[in-house]
């Protein structure tokens, strides 16, 4: 299955003299849109049900809706190949940008595992916690164990889990070795692993190395539009140990990326 959002060919490309003003207006519009979504998220998460199962599912649906809104706000168009199985499942993907979880969450209700540093980002950190994003400090084994237990609870409540097992971003020229934890959780929960390969039409959308978030985000927000591709591989069953599952999933992603 392949899906894509239609591109808008009806607007005049800005003249060279118009571009700085156009970019400034684009940034202002999108930043204010993000602020509005943050306020809406804060209000809607305050109304979430208290029962754990319902709360997990409603948070996943809300994260899905917010991610779709963010893609639309930034004219980020996603082409999808492959398909997801029935919930629950674990999606594991290569990691090249902070945009990756937004892309994948826009395609299915889920919860996501993210690095602890995101919790300190202004506005974004608090809303990520509200939406049930699982923040892990990879330098502290106790934090990793806590997050994996939370991921297992989400799966048992029927909520898919999104993870980037490289543990860090690259510029897309390679895929780092996979950490094994989430693969053990999938085996315990008895759910399939779905490998996913993410690429961007413009390598400038990658965020890795010494890049800082705010300047990169402002450059991204100044764009008229952006495009990405997500390719889902076939679900992997639970036969074999976590290390074997991790190696198989990484091999599928390498193949999907043609690396």
């Amino acid at each position: 299955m392949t899906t894509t959002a239609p591109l808008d060919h009806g607007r005049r490309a800005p003249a060279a003299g118009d571009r700085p003003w156009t970019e400034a207006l684009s940034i202002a519009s999108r930043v204010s849109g993000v602020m509005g979504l943050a306020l809406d998220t804060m209000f809607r998460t305050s109304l979430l049900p208290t029962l754990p199962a319902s709360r997990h599912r409603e948070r996943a649906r809300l994260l899905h809706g917010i991610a779709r809104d963010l893609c639309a706000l930034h004219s980020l168009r996603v082409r999808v190949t492959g398909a997801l199985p029935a919930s629950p499942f674990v999606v594991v993907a290569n990691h090249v940008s902070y945009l990756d979880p937004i892309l994948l969450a826009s395609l299915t209700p889920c919860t996501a595992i993210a690095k602890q540093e995101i919790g300190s980002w202004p506005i974004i950190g608090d809303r990520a916690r509200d939406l049930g994003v699982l923040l892990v400090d990879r330098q502290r084994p106790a934090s990793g164990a806590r997050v994996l237990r939370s991921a297992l609870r989400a799966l048992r409540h029927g909520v898919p889990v999104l993870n980037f097992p490289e543990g860090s971003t690259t510029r897309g020229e390679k895929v780092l070795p996979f950490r094994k934890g989430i693969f053990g959780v999938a085996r315990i929960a008895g759910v399939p692993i779905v490998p996913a390969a993410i690429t961007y039409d413009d390598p400038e959308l990658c965020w890795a190395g010494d890049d800082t978030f705010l300047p990169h985000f402002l450059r991204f927000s100044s764009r008229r539009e952006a495009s990405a591709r997500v390719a889902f591989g076939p679900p992997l069953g639970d036969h074999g140990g976590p290390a074997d599952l991790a190696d198989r999933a990484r091999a599928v992603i390498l193949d999907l990326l043609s690396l």
Side-chain angles (χ1 to χ4, degrees), residues 18-198:
D18 295 341
R19 195 164 293 122
W21 286 105
T22 302
E23 291 178 354
L25 287 171
S26 178
I27 291 171
S29 173
R30 284 164 170 165
V31 169
S32 64
V34 169
M35 295 288 287
L37 284 173
L39 289 172
D40 183 58
T41 299
M42 185 166 57
F43 172 72
R44 294 171 68 182
T45 52
S46 70
L47 304 177
L48 287 172
T50 56
L51 290 176
S54 299
R55 190 173 183 85
H56 273 89
R57 289 191 287 267
E58 289 302 319
R59 273 177 162 174
R61 280 192 280 268
L62 185 53
L63 177 59
H64 174 54
I66 294 295
R68 288 173 62 88
D69 288 345
L70 285 170
C71 288
L73 177 65
H74 293 88
S75 298
L76 177 55
R77 303 175 187 278
V78 188
R79 300 186 304 279
V80 180
T81 58
L84 291 168
S87 296
F89 49 83
V90 172
V91 175
V92 295
N94 64 307
H95 200 10
V96 292
S97 176
Y98 56 83
L99 298 171
D100 302 342
I102 297 172
L103 288 180
L104 291 171
S106 75
L107 302 176
T108 184
C110 64
T111 191
I113 297 174
K115 63 181 182 179
Q116 183 71 34
E117 290 86 338
I118 289 176
S120 65
W121 291 0
I123 303 171
I124 295 172
D126 287 340
R127 301 295 75 78
R129 291 189 189 90
D130 290 344
L131 291 166
V133 174
L134 306 174
L135 301 177
V136 59
D137 182 348
R138 299 191 186 278
Q139 305 306 313
R140 297 175 55 235
S143 173
R146 173 184 54 79
V147 164
L148 291 176
R149 288 194 298 270
S150 297
L152 180 59
R153 282 194 294 272
L155 291 167
R156 286 175 169 167
H157 289 311
V159 174
V161 172
L162 166 61
N163 184 231
F164 299 94
E166 290 174 280
S168 182
T169 56
T170 72
R171 297 198 181 278
E173 78 285 0
K174 60 185 176 180
V175 178
L176 301 174
F178 281 0
R179 297 168 184 261
K180 312 301 188 295
I182 196 63
F183 299 93
V185 169
R187 288 193 78 245
I188 293 169
V191 302
I193 293 282
V194 181
I198 301 172

Side-chain angles (χ1 to χ4, degrees), residues 172-239:
E173 78 285 0
K174 60 185 176 180
V175 178
L176 301 174
F178 281 0
R179 297 168 184 261
K180 312 301 188 295
I182 196 63
F183 299 93
V185 169
R187 288 193 78 245
I188 293 169
V191 302
I193 293 282
V194 181
I198 301 172
T199 54
Y200 295 93
D201 289 359
D202 187 344
E204 289 298 315
L205 293 178
C206 295
W207 183 66
D210 296 329
D211 287 350
T212 51
F213 171 71
L214 187 57
H216 190 282
F217 172 70
L218 293 178
R219 291 195 301 272
F220 168 58
S221 295
S222 71
R223 291 169 172 267
R224 182 182 174 189
E225 61 188 25
S227 299
R229 176 176 177 265
V230 176
F232 291 115
L236 303 178
D238 62 357
H239 56 280

